[in-house]
Amino acid sequence: MLTSSLPSLLLLLSLSSNFLNVALSDDGGGLFCSAPSVFETETAASSSSKPLYWKVTNPTLSPSHLQDLPGFTRSVYKGDHALITPESHVFSPLPGWTNTLGAYLITPAMGSHFVMYLAKMQENSKSGLPPNDVERFLFVVQGSATLTNASGAHHQLMVDSYAYLAPNSKHSLECDASATLVVFERRYSPLENHFTKQIVGSTDQQPLLETPGEVFELRKLLPPSLPYDFNIHIMDFQPGEFLNVKEVHYNQHGLLLLEGQGIYRLGDSW
């Protein structure tokens, strides 16, 4: 159950059903954000001084009597879904990147059609390129970095900024201090006479969209048009709000909880 005095914020990758024919999960999914208890209000107050999205890389939900138990984790890996909590992130040097550690959260070895990982860029770090025909999406959750494309144009990416890089587009991301990014990569599924292009933006630039029958706020970070074979959603739940639809389909999702707490149904587990 999401229990927080603050709203819950989710970053969700949604792969287009136009290009998928295999399901990672056929089971229902549901999300609920509840009003806070006294304990949770105190917890929220104590974390109010933390930077935006600090929970992405910091364990926060370990029961107090188990926090010091070696090997404790809430992570679980099943045939139709996985829950990867921060204490299970395994960082190692990221291939092709310099001075950067990566933790893979979702890979095709799990049955997915995309890769999702965290990249911790350190001082004087630089990104590598994805494989040929692979598109890339970057979202900054800590620090800042500079994106440079083939034409030499520079974009400063701060927290809550993002960039979409089309397949086979030359680019680099450089960081002088430190930055943490969520990275999605996927082999592009082209359509004749339809092409994607570089997109750079920030969440607050995107309008709130109508969600008929639902009670949460939704923003899409990529155009909902044919050239783009996936999308990134920012879903904002206030206490007491929830996802009304019980999803049972063959679309694949990669989800990252940015802020708050909640209950999420995956398969038959909560």
Side-chain angles (χ1 to χ4, degrees):
M1 170 193 260
L2 277 154
T3 51
S4 172
S5 59
L6 300 175
S8 298
L9 195 60
L10 298 165
L11 173 72
L12 174 69
L13 171 138
S14 181
L15 293 181
S16 168
S17 60
N18 294 336
F19 304 107
L20 295 182
N21 51 29
V22 179
L24 183 62
S25 173
D26 322 316
D27 294 310
L31 175 66
F32 176 72
C33 179
S34 78
S37 68
V38 174
F39 171 77
E40 288 137 8
T41 302
E42 293 174 350
T43 301
S46 66
S47 64
S48 60
S49 61
K50 301 290 186 181
L52 188 65
Y53 303 157
W54 71 278
K55 288 189 175 182
V56 171
T57 54
N58 292 275
T60 58
L61 289 179
S62 299
S64 58
H65 63 291
L66 293 178
Q67 286 179 346
D68 297 323
L69 179 65
F72 174 81
T73 181
R74 295 182 300 111
S75 296
V76 61
Y77 175 67
K78 297 188 177 182
D80 59 359
H81 70 269
L83 172 68
I84 312 297
T85 54
E87 67 272 7
S88 297
H89 295 171
V90 179
F91 285 91
S92 60
L94 202 54
W97 298 50
T98 59
N99 295 334
T100 303
L101 299 176
Y104 285 90
L105 307 179
I106 302 175
T107 74
M110 302 166 71
S112 68
H113 293 270
F114 65 97
V115 174
M116 176 182 178
Y117 59 92
L118 295 174
K120 282 191 174 183
M121 304 186 73
Q122 303 172 55
E123 186 177 358
N124 298 322
S125 53
K126 185 176 181 179
S127 68
L129 289 172
N132 291 338
D133 302 326
V134 169
E135 54 193 338
R136 171 182 280 176
F137 183 92
L138 309 168
F139 186 90
V140 181
V141 295
Q142 179 268 320
S144 65
T146 301
L147 175 68
T148 305
N149 61 22
S151 64
H154 301 285
H155 299 275
Q156 190 72 14
L157 300 183
M158 314 293 288
V159 173
D160 229 17
S161 298
Y162 61 87
Y164 169 83
L165 291 313
N168 304 318
S169 61
K170 302 296 183 183
H171 65 273
S172 67
L173 193 69
E174 298 184 58
C175 180
D176 294 330
S178 68
T180 302
L181 303 92
V182 188
V183 184
F184 295 96
E185 294 175 348
R186 180 174 190 263
R187 189 163 300 279
Y188 183 59
S189 298
L191 287 177
E192 187 176 1
N193 299 322
H194 289 81
F195 306 97
T196 62
K197 61 181 181 179
Q198 175 183 294
I199 295 174
V200 177
S202 64
T203 299
D204 58 6
Q205 295 175 343
Q206 303 309 312
L208 289 174
L209 302 177
E210 295 291 332
T211 55
E214 298 289 358
V215 286
F216 63 87
E217 295 181 345
L218 172 67
R219 291 177 171 87
K220 291 181 182 289
L221 304 189
L222 293 179
S225 55
L226 280 177
Y228 298 89
D229 55 358
F230 73 93
N231 213 315
I232 301 289
H233 300 165
I234 297 290
M235 305 168 72
D236 194 346
F237 295 80
Q238 298 296 326
E241 295 183 346
F242 55 90
L243 183 65
N244 189 49
V245 172
K246 285 45 173 196
E247 296 185 333
V248 182
H249 55 54
Y250 57 89
N251 293 52
Q252 297 184 339
H253 299 305
L255 183 148
L256 182 69
L257 182 66
L258 297 172
E259 291 186 304
Q261 303 177 53
I263 295 178
Y264 206 102
R265 179 188 173 187
L266 294 168
D268 294 325
S269 302
W270 297 84

